Amino acid sequence: MIDVGEKPRTDRVAVARGFVSMSRATLGILRRGEVEKGDVIAAARLAGIMAAKRTPDIVPLCHPITLSGADVEAVPRPGGVEVTATVRTTDRTGVEMEALAAVAAACLTVYDMLKRYERGMRIEAIELTEKSGGRTGRWVRPRPAARPARAREPRERSVRKRGG
């Protein structure tokens, strides 16, 4: 573990996100509140907050720090559930790992509560989107450049002969 004792305490914030992709049918079950295990969104939020608080227990060499706040949102979107975590502290080291752990745990909870309906869900794109504070200051994930549209090649059509 690195020694952070000489570093000054500063306000620090980290934001992470992830996505659980699923079929329309499974998303419909979630949106209608028909999940047998209960409220998926509430459980995911709680799991994320708990994971942020317990990150040093699951990530080796991660400093235990006092969190001043942890917000986790799980929002149904087309194709699945988007999870975002914002974690704050005033301490000597950042909260990136706490934000990432929060997102991972919330996504796992969504999967766990919906796996009865669909085993093929995917947990995707867990990533840090921004952080601020500390020696390195503010960092924001650059947005991916838009890909140039590819010209479509004409599809071959099969022609079926009638009456013959």
Side-chain angles (χ1 to χ4, degrees):
M1 212 156 128
I2 63 167
D3 184 354
V4 295
E6 297 297 317
K7 293 171 74 176
R9 292 181 188 273
T10 60
D11 292 334
R12 298 161 185 265
V13 178
V15 181
R17 72 171 167 224
F19 194 79
V20 183
S21 66
M22 62 190 67
S23 69
R24 282 189 191 144
T26 304
L27 189 57
I29 291 166
L30 172 100
R31 286 180 191 244
R32 291 188 302 273
E34 298 173 351
V35 178
E36 186 178 355
K37 284 188 170 185
D39 186 339
V40 175
I41 301 303
R45 289 184 66 236
L46 184 58
I49 292 166
M50 291 172 64
K53 293 172 71 170
R54 303 299 299 234
T55 301
D57 293 339
I58 59 174
V59 178
L61 307 179
C62 187
H63 287 86
I65 58 177
T66 302
L67 302 183
S68 55
D71 298 315
V72 178
E73 290 184 332
V75 179
R77 301 268 192 233
V81 175
E82 181 181 55
V83 175
T84 305
T86 304
V87 182
R88 293 172 295 287
T89 190
T90 301
D91 215 320
R92 293 181 168 105
T93 189
V95 286
E96 296 92 49
M97 296 310 300
E98 288 76 4
L100 290 162
V103 169
C107 287
L108 287 168
T109 300
V110 170
Y111 185 97
D112 177 58
M113 293 186 75
L114 295 172
K115 69 181 184 258
R116 174 180 191 267
Y117 310 100
E118 181 181 351
R119 299 270 178 191
M121 290 178 290
R122 292 174 44 117
I123 296 173
E124 303 173 342
I126 295 176
E127 60 187 5
L128 184 70
T129 59
E130 64 182 279
K131 65 77 82 189
S132 63
R135 179 178 42 87
T136 59
R138 187 157 193 259
W139 175 86
V140 176
R141 176 172 296 284
R143 291 184 180 233
R147 287 191 236 175
R150 289 190 325 185
R152 288 188 185 191
E153 294 183 25
R155 287 194 254 172
E156 289 184 32
R157 291 186 175 174
S158 61
V159 179
R160 193 167 54 181
K161 292 182 183 178
R162 293 186 185 178

